[in-house]
Amino acid sequence: MHTRLTTLAVVAVCSVLTHPAHAASGEETVSTLCGACHEKTATGWDRIDSVRKTPEGWDMTVRRMIRNFNIAGVSDDELADVIAYLSDTRGLSVAETQGRRYILEREPVAIDEGPNQQMTETCGRCHSYARVELQRRTPEDWAKLVHFHLGQFPTLEYQALARDRDWWGIAQSEIIPWLAEHYPLGQAPAAYAGDPAGDYIVAGHQPGRGDYRGTMTVTGPRAAMDVKMALTYSDGAQAEYTGRAHILGAGEWRGTLGGGDGDIHQVLAVGLDGRLDGRWFLAAQDVTGGRISAVRADHPPVVLAAQPAMLRIGQPTMIQITGTGLSDQVTAPDGVTVEAVTRDVGGVMLTLTAAQPGPVTLEVAGQPVDLVAYERLDRISIIPDVAISRIGGGGGAIPKTPAQFQAMGWLNGPDGQPGTDDDVAVGIMPATWSIAPWSEEAARMQDEKYAGSIDQTGLFTPADAGPNPERPMMTNNIGDLRVIATVEQDPPLTAEAHLYATVQRFVDAPIR
Ligand code: HEC
Ligand code: HEC
């Protein structure tokens, strides 16, 4: 029983969130499903009205209720219904989620830190600190959450590097008051009441594959939208996806579309002006995906992207500006010549020549567009400079988690010194990729031979899971690796990143 539900929790996470909400009243469902234990008083439902969280946060809580308290026979429809209702009535505003959206978007690499060392050490060691900051509660409910932790995980005080201190004492006297003060319950924002239907212009970047732009067509109401997304990559390749999405709470767009490279999920924030920003990723492999921005085609003038946003000096370069309301009115600074302007659906194509290296700001139809001109790069770096991949497959149930790297070109800026604040990021550069052992021990174990391989798009694919009889002591295919990028220039530029090619993530949650 438990195994089945645990698998469900891992696999069905995003699909329930993108399941279109059912017609039954959410209030009714809460009353039937939850009312047996949670009492409704004059001030609302016990516990349920003391918290606000994201759709993924509600998903986790409701699944815990079902799992831990054996609530039987909840259908996918009911589950989707209750999560949609709770997200609409007890959600966070998009502004309240800013800075922590990476955890909802399942960005493969993000810096997750608490507001100070004590909060990081107490509440950000077993799971992300983002999981904490994406909630609002009454003071009593923050206290109950901490009590729940100790009740549910009695070994908590002895794990996760907490043995050097009085964890429980600190949690009670310092952490609960801090949480209550900084993340108070406050008012739930009104649910999204706009009409999302229409034609959108989109632009974005997929690490390992490149920039893309395109269109998205949305029909139907916010609770059950039909979505069609057509992307054209900068190398001319096209990908088309169709599927369904809905907007939960104040502006949490969740979609599941099929086509292109497979099924994808969209996790987008709906801004006040209807602009969408977020990420899409493969349903089966969330490392693979891209950032995306979209606005309705009739949005007031705005620039979503300049692709590429860089040009070699002295060479005419075609730059695609994607946005709305863009005309051929282009103002360029001294030293930049506009050779040609062509308008097309979703923007304008410029041909520019720059004479001087450094940042360039153009105006297109009065909108600023930031580019960088360069002659030679001063250095490159790898994004990310530290990453984790995970073995998988090999007959096991858990798929591999690859790691994607990109090479970023840099100028040293006015001070001529690398690594200072005035350095200018030029853009993502084509590179050749290789791996090597990170340490002597990794060399002795031949990690570069066993742990996986990197291709020329910077994608590291880990090896199969399971013991490997070819390795000393039948060790598995983990490794400690150096990732090396080389960008053509005379002399060539290189950079290194650190890759922990490690074991599977056995327990995954909607909010890690
Ligand atoms: C069988 C009894 C039972 C049912 C049914 C039940 N709960 Fe709970 N609920 C509990 C208990 C016990 C706790 C405290 C322990 C915990 O947090 O897991 C709790 C805690 C909570 C909390 C506070 C936890 C937090 O960290 O935010 C919320 C919110 C909540 N329940 C919502 C719901 C909702 C929504 C439903 C219906 C889908 C539901 N519960 C159904 C017993 C139940
Ligand atoms: C020992 C590891 C551990 C530590 C330390 C820890 N947590 Fe958790 N936390 C968990 C686990 C595991 C869950 C998931 C519970 C579930 O839903 O099954 C969780 C869930 C949560 C949730 C989501 C609960 C819900 O239903 O909405 C919040 C919020 C949270 N933790 C906050 C905190 C805070 C605040 C602290 C610091 C006081 C903290 N955590 C420290 C392990 C930990």
Side-chain angles (χ1 to χ4, degrees), residues 2 37-38 61 63-72 148 152:
H2 266 101
C37 303
H38 295 274
T61 304
R63 280 176 199 275
R64 181 169 79 246
M65 297 300 123
I66 295 174
R67 185 185 69 223
N68 288 7
F69 310 125
N70 293 317
I71 309 178
F148 152 76
Q152 182 96 0

Side-chain angles (χ1 to χ4, degrees), residues 5-14 63 106 505-510:
L5 282 169
T6 314
T7 328
L8 194 89
V10 174
V11 178
V13 168
C14 292
R63 280 176 199 275
R106 301 181 85 76
R505 192 197 291 271
F506 291 98
V507 178
D508 206 353

Side-chain angles (χ1 to χ4, degrees), residues 58 60 139 184 188 272 333 346 408 442 484:
W58 279 117
M60 287 177 66
L272 292 178
M408 172 63 84
I484 303 156

